[in-house]
Amino acid sequence: MSGEDVRLALSVKKCRIMLNAFLLLAIAATPQSQSWTVDGVTREALVQSPTVKTERPPVVFVFHGHGGQARNMARKDFAKQWPEAFFVFPQGLLTRSYYDPDGKRTGWQNNVSNDGDRDLKFFDVMLQSMLARGIDPNRVYASGHSNGGYFSYLLWAKRREQLAAIASSAGGGPEVAKLQPLPAMHLAGRVDSVVPFDLQSRTMDSIRRVNRCGETTQPLDGIGIEYESKLNIPVVTFVHDGGHEFIDDAPQRIVAFFKRHTRPEDGYPQVDPLQEAGNSDRFSQFDTNGDGKIDTDELQRPFLFRVLDKDADGVITRAEAGHALGKL
């Protein structure tokens, strides 16, 4: 074999190596479908592997909104913001909601024990799968939009010991006053017509109290406003002028927030739960004329009023309010 032939053979071999490396990188950069069986039901997610290898990578779970799809969240700019991380985009099942009472669209359970806790169990299975792949157990994060943002709060409530931080976009929270401290971020639109901004404001106020944040703030460039915590467990908020949409730079802001927080080896501290008004007291606060009913003048929040006015007779009774008033 001549010298020219040898050089040609080496060149071909080098090209093949480079091509294989390129193909492997392309595969790594494309989310791969993965499935698990949870209570006899096949559950699926798209898993984006790191494109930059590290010994113990973080993992971020990103939950779509009601009626959403995992593939749409996977198309967002998350992975580019943190190439060392795994990103898991779970797919929800058909789920009933206020806007979808027949459950014709996909989503996540709204509270503990709903639908047999199917989605909390799904999270547990996915997390165990990711731990088996060598992720850092102290850098596990949950985020979501709308119904997915609400589910992130539910994970805070029920899976806090597995989380380093959560971030919710246009979501609410289940009994947030009963939460234990955890780094959290909330993104909200001032003209949100689906989850009203005043409801989200109450949620942001509550999580600041949970994390024992004062009024001292500092701007975090490209993230939001951070409220300092005497527990060193801050809350970050970002309020934009839009509505219920998942804003374009949300992935950048959320990932930058997550990068700031690693769960301590011994976990976050426990504190005494906040003392909030009970449902009966909350009813009385809104029932300003004391007639035992709440009308549209007393509760000027059309969406919430429709939710609570179960029989659509134009007033809310104590029986109708029930547990739901604790979330107002």
Side-chain angles (χ1 to χ4, degrees):
M1 180 180 292
S2 68
E4 185 65 28
D5 291 337
V6 171
R7 286 193 294 271
L8 179 60
L10 290 174
S11 179
V12 170
K13 183 177 181 180
K14 182 178 180 180
C15 288
R16 286 175 176 170
I17 292 173
M18 292 177 63
L19 178 60
N20 288 337
F22 175 79
L23 291 174
L24 289 174
L25 183 61
I27 291 172
T30 303
Q32 303 297 303
S33 179
Q34 188 168 345
S35 62
W36 301 263
T37 300
V38 182
D39 287 345
V41 177
T42 299
R43 303 300 304 267
E44 297 180 340
L46 294 174
V47 179
Q48 170 73 66
S49 297
T51 54
V52 175
K53 300 299 182 182
T54 55
E55 185 175 351
R56 301 180 79 191
V59 62
V60 180
F61 293 88
V62 183
F63 297 88
H64 62 72
H66 190 80
Q69 297 291 325
R71 64 177 180 269
N72 293 333
M73 295 305 283
R75 293 189 185 113
K76 304 295 183 183
D77 203 21
F78 280 99
K80 185 182 295 185
Q81 305 301 326
W82 205 352
E84 298 85 0
F86 278 98
F87 286 88
V88 181
F89 304 95
Q91 178 60 53
L93 300 177
L94 299 181
T95 305
R96 292 185 295 273
S97 75
Y98 295 131
Y99 284 121
D100 181 18
D102 296 326
K104 295 181 178 180
R105 295 185 290 171
T106 56
W108 310 99
Q109 68 180 93
N110 287 321
N111 219 322
V112 179
S113 299
N114 282 10
D115 300 310
D117 279 338
R118 67 183 191 191
D119 298 319
L120 287 174
K121 294 175 183 177
F122 183 27
F123 173 78
D124 294 339
V125 170
M126 290 188 293
L127 178 56
Q128 287 303 311
S129 175
M130 299 311 298
L131 288 168
R133 297 178 71 166
I135 61 100
D136 185 346
N138 291 319
R139 291 194 293 166
V140 177
Y141 309 90
S143 181
H145 177 65
S146 191
N147 177 217
Y150 193 101
F151 186 64
S152 297
Y153 275 115
L154 187 59
L155 288 174
W156 178 355
K158 305 308 295 182
R159 298 296 186 264
R160 170 179 176 264
E161 296 306 315
Q162 284 74 50
L163 296 171
I166 70 111
S168 172
S169 166
E175 300 185 55
V176 291
K178 297 182 180 179
L179 298 172
Q180 287 290 325
L182 181 75
M185 180 178 187
H186 191 105
L187 300 88
R190 289 189 177 88
V191 292
D192 194 327
S193 61
V194 178
V195 182
F197 180 69
D198 62 344
L199 176 59
Q200 295 189 62
S201 292
R202 287 177 180 270
T203 296
M204 289 185 279
D205 289 345
S206 291
I207 63 176
R208 288 198 294 267
R209 292 197 299 274
V210 166
N211 284 4
R212 304 320 193 248
C213 295
E215 296 301 318
T216 303
T217 65
Q218 64 170 331
L220 300 179
D221 187 37
I223 304 177
I225 300 298
E226 181 179 71
Y227 289 79
E228 294 182 10
S229 161
K230 67 180 182 181
L231 302 175
N232 197 29
I233 305 176
V235 168
V236 171
T237 63
F238 179 70
V239 177
H240 56 87
D241 292 328
H244 191 66
E245 69 273 13
F246 189 66
I247 57 174
D248 291 341
D249 65 351
Q252 172 188 333
R253 293 178 181 278
I254 290 168
V255 169
F257 168 71
F258 285 161
K259 287 181 178 180
R260 297 171 63 87
H261 298 285
T262 298
R263 180 179 176 273
E265 288 292 341
D266 55 353
Y268 293 110
Q270 294 277 117
V271 297
D272 291 333
L274 296 177
Q275 298 299 314
E276 297 280 10
N279 289 349
S280 177
D281 291 338
R282 294 288 274 164
F283 188 96
S284 298
Q285 289 174 12
F286 287 101
D287 181 20
T288 55
N289 62 8
D291 66 352
K293 300 174 183 179
I294 298 174
D295 60 29
T296 53
D297 290 330
E298 292 169 313
L299 179 58
Q300 296 181 12
R301 303 179 201 167
F303 169 70
L304 290 174
F305 193 94
R306 291 195 302 271
V307 169
L308 295 174
D309 183 15
K310 300 296 185 183
D311 58 7
D313 65 350
V315 295
I316 300 167
T317 65
R318 287 184 181 273
E320 287 177 315
H323 173 69
L325 264 180
K327 300 175 187 174
L328 290 179

